[in-house]
Amino acid sequence: MKKFLLFILLSLVFLLTLSNISHAFSLITDDTELNWYFVNRESGKTPEAPKESIDFLREYDAYYVGDTDSKVLYLTFDQGYENGNTNKILDILKEEKVPAAFFVVKPYIKTEKNIVKRMVEEGHLVCNHSSHHPSMATILDNEKFSKEFTEVEEEFKTLTGIDMPKYFRPPMGKYSKNSLKKTKALGYKTIFWSFAYKDWLVDNQPKEDYAIKKILNGVHPGAIILLHSVSDTNTKILKTVITELRKEGYEFKSLKDLPE
């Protein structure tokens, strides 16, 4: 009798949980602000994308992984501001012949002209991270939305004389179905990530051994890696990480090589 009552109780809890999940998803609209995340599986396996958006990521050219059938990695950096590390990172990438994508905001282009020009000259992609770093999901006015892209494009072209590559990283990982749709309409691919860790707090940097282990254990075939160049730790460990990943059979590719 007790086992039967326990079974009934657990069944009710399960049904209530399903009901709550269903209700939560029913409240999501095309303009609902969502937060990017991924669910890790066992080491070396592709993480799962958010359940609330997995159905429409591909429709709107949104990537969080690349070629998951090959041991390839895509290295990306978010450039909110300069902390004295980017030239050191570029030195390592040049020495190791590794391509990377740097997602920049408009103020970064204005204040770090020489670094941005160096990125381009050395074959890296300098990509769009918005003009003012807002949550794109909250900008419902189409003109304001577009300006977050075009102001960065114009600043970049004024500096370099070339068009900005059409890759966009949503600030703070915030997005909506409509923001992805509008981003695609502007000709962009949205680039999320399948690996990141807490590396951006300049006054609370992770230990080097921890960071190396975290990255090596977190990557998988086709991983889009997000690092922050403000991190002193990332700068110190980057060469080691590249070397160790190559030992494991990985190669680094450009976002230009993402599968269609």
Side-chain angles (χ1 to χ4, degrees):
M1 185 64 177
K2 287 182 179 179
K3 289 183 178 179
F4 178 72
L5 290 174
L6 179 60
F7 173 77
I8 295 297
L9 179 61
L10 290 174
S11 297
L12 287 172
V13 170
F14 177 72
L15 289 172
L16 286 170
T17 301
L18 285 179
S19 177
N20 288 336
I21 292 173
S22 177
H23 178 66
F25 274 91
S26 71
L27 295 177
I28 296 176
T29 72
D30 288 356
D31 285 320
T32 297
E33 181 185 74
L34 303 173
N35 291 287
W36 180 256
Y37 66 89
F38 54 88
V39 181
N40 277 320
R41 299 161 68 199
E42 59 189 277
S43 181
K45 299 292 186 181
T46 306
E48 296 177 1
K51 288 181 172 58
E52 59 268 28
S53 58
I54 186 62
D55 290 339
F56 56 79
L57 292 177
R58 182 172 294 183
E59 180 182 357
Y60 298 120
D61 289 348
Y63 292 75
Y64 79 103
V65 293
D67 180 5
T68 57
D69 293 325
S70 304
K71 295 194 80 171
V72 298
L73 303 170
Y74 310 84
L75 185 59
T76 72
F77 293 87
D78 280 3
Q79 304 283 129
Y81 62 96
E82 184 54 39
N83 194 36
N85 291 319
T86 306
N87 274 318
K88 299 173 188 175
I89 289 170
L90 288 169
D91 288 342
I92 296 167
L93 296 176
K94 183 176 182 179
E95 180 183 351
E96 297 297 325
K97 296 181 173 58
V98 170
F102 294 88
F103 289 88
V104 301
V105 291
K106 180 181 176 180
Y108 191 90
I109 300 174
K110 291 176 69 70
T111 59
E112 306 299 336
K113 292 180 172 62
N114 289 336
I115 294 178
V116 172
K117 286 193 286 188
R118 181 183 175 186
M119 291 171 180
V120 174
E121 289 165 1
E122 295 184 358
H124 302 294
L125 297 178
V126 180
C127 307
N128 208 321
H129 197 34
S130 81
S131 184
H132 300 96
H133 207 263
S135 165
M136 299 305 294
T138 64
I139 305 178
L140 303 182
D141 181 87
N142 287 337
E143 184 177 352
K144 289 181 180 178
F145 189 93
S146 296
K147 282 185 70 175
E148 286 295 330
F149 290 79
T150 57
E151 288 183 355
V152 186
E153 294 170 351
E154 290 165 2
E155 195 68 37
F156 178 78
K157 188 162 188 176
T158 297
L159 175 65
T160 65
I162 61 176
D163 292 329
M164 175 165 266
K166 295 284 189 172
Y167 302 96
F168 180 71
R169 173 154 288 153
M172 303 166 287
K174 294 182 180 295
Y175 66 104
S176 68
K177 185 175 184 178
N178 272 343
S179 76
L180 296 184
K181 182 178 181 180
K182 289 188 286 189
T183 299
K184 180 181 178 180
L186 292 171
Y188 278 83
K189 289 179 171 65
T190 295
I191 307 297
F192 290 113
W193 56 90
S194 60
F195 173 82
Y197 79 118
K198 197 173 181 179
D199 63 347
W200 61 88
L201 299 175
V202 295
D203 295 325
N204 186 25
Q205 282 289 286
K207 300 292 185 182
E208 291 173 36
D209 289 347
Y210 166 84
I212 292 171
K213 185 177 180 180
K214 185 77 172 176
I215 296 171
L216 296 183
N217 288 342
V219 300
H220 59 88
I224 295 177
I225 301 170
L226 164 59
L227 299 177
H228 289 83
S229 62
V230 296
S231 167
D232 293 339
T233 297
N234 284 343
T235 307
K236 292 173 184 175
I237 69 170
L238 183 59
K239 184 178 176 66
T240 299
V241 166
I242 291 170
T243 300
E244 292 302 315
L245 287 172
R246 280 178 166 161
K247 285 180 182 178
E248 293 182 14
Y250 284 101
E251 70 171 309
F252 293 86
K253 288 196 172 184
S254 168
L255 293 182
K256 291 185 293 186
D257 298 314
L258 284 172
E260 292 297 328

